[in-house]
Amino acid sequence: MAQMAVAWVLQNGNVASAITGGSGPEQVKANAAAAGKSLSSETLAGIDEALGDAVERDGSLVGSMSPEKRPT
């Protein structure tokens, strides 16, 4: 389940990277392995359907903050 979640995040075009962790070496290795996984369009659609409106897909609403706009 954790690998599927990381793979799903990484396949989102608005995401540059995923910050993951683990409580032990096994979890860290499993999370790293998810980077090489590819979910089918059917699986992605099923996840999106299950999540409904909980996920914002419009990248213009999420956008990154440019260095000049970052608080100091």
Side-chain angles (χ1 to χ4, degrees):
M1 189 66 87
Q3 283 189 1
M4 182 181 69
V6 173
W8 176 79
V9 166
L10 292 174
Q11 283 186 250
N12 181 330
N14 296 315
V15 175
S17 65
I19 300 172
T20 65
S23 60
E26 299 82 21
Q27 286 183 338
V28 173
K29 289 177 187 174
N31 287 341
K37 304 288 183 192
S38 181
L39 302 175
S40 70
S41 57
E42 293 83 13
T43 299
L44 292 171
I47 294 169
D48 288 346
E49 182 179 340
L51 293 174
D53 293 335
V55 177
E56 179 57 62
R57 289 275 185 199
D58 185 349
S60 68
L61 298 175
V62 178
S64 65
M65 189 178 288
S66 63
E68 56 275 356
K69 292 184 179 180
R70 292 184 187 143
T72 55

